[in-house]
Amino acid sequence: MLDTEPPAALVDPFVGTGSGGRWVGRINAFPGASAPFGMVQWSPDTTSRPQGGGYDYADSALTGFSLTHLSGPGCPVAGDVPFLPVAGDVPAAPERATAQFRHDSESARPGYYAVTAGQVRTELSTTVRTGIARFHYPRGRAAHLLVKVDGGATRDSDGLVRAVGDREITGQVTSGGFCGSRNRYTIYFAARFDRPIGAVDQWPGTTAGATLSFDPDADGTVRMKSAVSYVSADGALGNLEAEADSWDLDQVAAREQDRWNRQLASVTVAGGTRDQRSTFYTALYHSLLHPGVFNDADGRYPGFDGQVHRTAPGHTQYADFSGWDIYRCEMPLLAMTVPDRADDMATSLLNDADQGGWLPKWPVANGYTAEMSGDAADPVLADVYAFGDHGFDARSALRLMVHGAEDPPQPPGQGWYIERPWGAEYLTRGYVPSTVPAPAPGAPTGRAPADRAPTDTAPPGPPPPAAIRHSASTTLEYAAADFAVSRLAAELGDGATAQRFRTRSHNWANLFDPATGYIRPRDADGAFPAGPPVDVRDGHEQSGFAEGNAAQYTWMVTQDLPALIAAVGGPGAATARLDTYFTQLNAGPGRPYHWQGNEPGFATPWIYDSTGRPDRTQAVVRSIMDQLYSPTPGGEPGNDDLGAMSSWYVWAALGLYPETAGAPLLALSTPLFPRAVVHRPGRPDLVLTTTGSGRFVSALARDGVPSTRTWIDPARTGRLDFILAAAPDPGWGTDPADAPPVLG
């Protein structure tokens, strides 16, 4: 095929629906239909119910087609309100019914999914807030549709379904508990059919659901429109009226594919192989699925205070931010390519904080979850300002960021959530200790229970010190967040706040052990633990680090790279250590090598740009792309995490990377394609070209002027022309002055 194919034709929604190997496991993407940043993701769920995506390519039976999914999180979530068409007799236990399928009966493209499961051919498409289905039943067989109201991915309750006239149903279910958190949300749905419902049989017992029976048309077809709302059943009906304007599924799917072509055209590439273009556009597709629209067509949405709010005209409330994952590179990508949406995403986080009291991390629907360490909303907001068009209230953002970092956590959000659970210790000591003295029995801790390690019943006597999980990586995350606060404050002219937080962003150094050359946990007395600095067991995270180990996290200091490089022995020593580190590219949490499948290592390949060896960045980045990404079900190196893993590939293929959250700088590697254009609304395009062969940069012109710098400021760059060679060029990018600068 020519490289002029429309981008949606190059997307393969089955990428990421399989397993990527031992350390990757299930990638947890979903293959079903969704609009860009849609509220509805109508997709199949398979019997093993993978987390978030609901679908495992290795399975051969479906449990239903549910209306909500997230692409690749590490915990079960969504999967709300599955529908399963059944031909013939109704199963004795409909809530557990499944339907066998084969992959050769499946097809998927952006905005469309189809499969033959059991004896029924199902086709699905969506708009932003609605879905449309076409069920083809065998002629002469009874046609049923199972509505598994409480069949979601997590603990469901209060489910119900009711008939409205003879062609419509509405219902609701309450769900939540993401990663064991306390979040809960209620989702409402409405479904309308193109023919009367012959019977609505409510399921007896504790399981909520109903069996709908139909008399299909002459071809055995039943058509269905559906919609969801987080406000009310009337809200779902309103969304149905506003968006579901056609019974013609082919027409709806064609319009949705056009929408995707326009959205994917935010970045255009030419050249390379078709597999490379397919991998690129599939990664961009996954990057544009989330966060999702949360308000109804009339602007209403439920806030973090439990009240119904309304968006300003022309704006959108978004939900489901996998903050810890997406702040590193997905939010800068969205800020550059869809700045209006990114502004509304930033405003959505500010709305959450105004309603709930604190900026959230990994919010699901309108609830806090406290999932993952750090304070990810800070770099998310700073990213949007640094790479976008400043179309949100940045001063309110700065106020809320400072509030979360420095104010006592009272009252907690939604009665329990604390933005920085170990913020007081961090401010007092300059790091989060691995243990703190335990409180007196019965005394309040002011801390989220999830941040304490599980303990057995305490023996009589003084309580032992309490262990803090992930203390070292939490310190690094707080320091990175502080840097993001300092950058936004500096941009807004608040020098005092900028200086205070920039000073605090150096706190990583309080955990650097000069005797070993690693970031390590320290206890409340300042002592490092006994034993080796990289104390790892294959398959297990190291004590003090979230989903990783000291060898991986020591490099997560991009706000102070010259200081870190000096601390490990200088550019030569850092290069040698990185060379050893990159002898494995996806080693998992328990080996002292790179783990591309975990977000804290995303920027590490670009550190060579700061050690005088940009050729090593160019080689390592391309090796990761070639070895760990592909247009296959297992073609990503880790959980997609709502587009985080995919957005890394988009940047890498462009030869660019937002190395430091909140800093408007892009580190350079080698572009994959001979030509790429990043279309920036309201700004000139960023054009990248390559000539020559090989993966090493031998020369570069920035806007027509020769440059040896290994970084750019995207706001001041319109064109990059690379000349490539088969061997490294020691004259390009190797001078210390060529390295990315340190801001502040």
Side-chain angles (χ1 to χ4, degrees), residues 602-656:
F602 273 5
T604 308
W606 278 269
I607 293 178
Y608 287 111
D609 279 352
S610 296
T611 70
R613 291 298 305 272
D615 60 300
R616 295 295 299 137
T617 283
Q618 296 153 24
V620 169
V621 170
R622 186 61 59 85
S623 293
I624 292 171
M625 295 170 66
D626 291 347
Q627 295 180 35
L628 300 180
Y629 289 85
S630 64
T632 64
E636 294 186 43
N639 295 144
D640 191 54
D641 286 322
L642 281 64
M645 208 62 56
S646 295
S647 63
W648 185 96
Y649 185 92
V650 173
W651 284 113
L654 295 173
L656 307 169

Side-chain angles (χ1 to χ4, degrees), residues 19 41 51 156 175 187 271 319 349 367 407 410 416 440 467 472 500 505 554-555 581 584 625 645 660 662 695:
S19 173
Q41 305 84 28
Q51 299 165 345
D156 292 342
S175 187
I187 187 168
L349 291 173
D407 291 346
Q410 299 297 332
W416 69 274
R500 186 167 76 254
S505 73
T554 292
W555 301 110
Y581 173 81
Q584 295 183 32
M625 295 170 66
M645 208 62 56
T660 306
R695 62 179 57 181

Side-chain angles (χ1 to χ4, degrees), residues 243-469:
E243 296 186 13
D245 61 349
S246 175
W247 284 107
D248 187 339
L249 185 141
D250 297 324
Q251 179 188 69
V252 174
R255 289 190 308 205
E256 204 55 46
Q257 189 165 27
D258 288 344
R259 190 204 303 259
W260 270 111
N261 274 320
R262 292 192 300 272
Q263 193 73 76
L264 292 165
S266 59
V267 184
T268 55
V269 299
T273 67
R274 191 182 192 281
D275 275 0
Q276 288 172 332
R277 295 193 302 276
S278 177
T279 301
F280 177 85
Y281 276 112
T282 302
L284 184 57
Y285 166 80
H286 282 145
S287 303
L288 300 172
L289 287 169
H290 309 292
V293 170
F294 192 57
N295 61 279
D296 289 344
D298 64 5
R300 294 183 302 157
Y301 69 94
F304 274 53
D305 54 3
Q307 304 300 308
V308 175
H309 299 263
R310 192 180 297 269
T311 59
H315 292 274
T316 300
Q317 180 74 13
Y318 290 90
D320 304 331
F321 291 81
S322 56
W324 186 86
D325 309 288
I326 63 174
Y327 84 71
R328 304 168 201 273
C329 56
E330 183 172 347
M331 288 311 301
L333 179 66
L334 299 184
M336 282 186 66
T337 58
V338 287
D340 288 349
R341 288 188 184 271
D343 289 337
D344 277 355
M345 291 172 188
T347 300
S348 299
L349 291 173
L350 303 184
N351 292 339
D352 297 343
D354 285 339
Q355 297 153 11
W358 306 91
L359 286 167
K361 51 191 176 194
W362 238 117
V364 173
N366 60 321
Y368 292 112
T369 73
E371 181 59 19
M372 303 309 298
S373 56
D375 194 359
D378 293 350
V380 165
L381 293 165
D383 281 339
V384 175
Y385 194 86
F387 289 91
D389 61 5
H390 304 176
F392 68 100
D393 189 343
R395 294 196 179 278
S396 289
L398 180 61
R399 171 182 58 81
L400 288 164
M401 293 156 81
V402 173
H403 168 58
E406 295 185 339
D407 291 346
Q410 299 297 332
Q414 297 181 342
W416 69 274
Y417 170 78
I418 297 172
E419 187 174 335
R420 293 197 184 193
W422 304 109
E425 289 77 13
Y426 176 77
L427 292 174
T428 300
R429 294 182 172 87
Y431 65 95
V432 177
S434 56
T435 60
V436 294
T445 65
R447 298 288 173 249
D451 283 286
R452 288 205 182 277
T455 58
D456 295 326
T457 302
I468 300 176
R469 298 180 63 199

Side-chain angles (χ1 to χ4, degrees), residues 113-305:
Y113 173 84
V115 68
T116 300
Q119 303 176 62
V120 182
R121 180 71 175 171
T122 296
E123 297 176 276
L124 306 173
S125 188
T126 59
T127 68
V128 173
R129 299 174 178 85
T130 75
I132 184 170
R134 187 163 59 197
F135 304 116
H136 302 267
Y137 292 88
R139 294 184 182 181
R141 302 295 304 278
H144 307 289
L145 184 64
L146 309 182
V147 187
K148 300 183 177 183
V149 179
D150 62 357
T154 58
R155 57 179 190 267
D156 292 342
S157 62
D158 303 322
L160 62 88
V161 58
R162 63 172 66 89
V164 181
D166 67 346
R167 297 188 180 213
E168 199 166 271
I169 60 170
T170 62
Q172 67 186 69
V173 68
T174 299
S175 187
F178 177 68
C179 287
S181 74
R182 308 183 195 184
N183 80 296
R184 303 292 284 167
Y185 64 88
T186 297
I187 187 168
Y188 303 86
F189 66 95
R192 185 173 295 160
F193 300 90
D194 69 337
R195 60 199 56 257
I197 306 170
V200 179
D201 296 322
Q202 299 280 349
W203 298 345
T206 59
T207 301
T211 300
L212 313 183
S213 301
F214 296 93
D215 181 12
D217 67 12
D219 293 327
T221 302
V222 174
R223 295 170 180 83
M224 169 186 170
K225 298 176 183 179
S226 62
V228 299
S229 167
Y230 293 88
V231 175
S232 65
D234 286 343
L237 288 168
N239 291 337
L240 205 59
E241 293 295 334
E243 296 186 13
D245 61 349
S246 175
W247 284 107
D248 187 339
L249 185 141
D250 297 324
Q251 179 188 69
V252 174
R255 289 190 308 205
E256 204 55 46
Q257 189 165 27
D258 288 344
R259 190 204 303 259
W260 270 111
N261 274 320
R262 292 192 300 272
Q263 193 73 76
L264 292 165
S266 59
V267 184
T268 55
V269 299
T273 67
R274 191 182 192 281
D275 275 0
Q276 288 172 332
R277 295 193 302 276
S278 177
T279 301
F280 177 85
Y281 276 112
T282 302
L284 184 57
Y285 166 80
H286 282 145
S287 303
L288 300 172
L289 287 169
H290 309 292
V293 170
F294 192 57
N295 61 279
D296 289 344
D298 64 5
R300 294 183 302 157
Y301 69 94
F304 274 53
D305 54 3

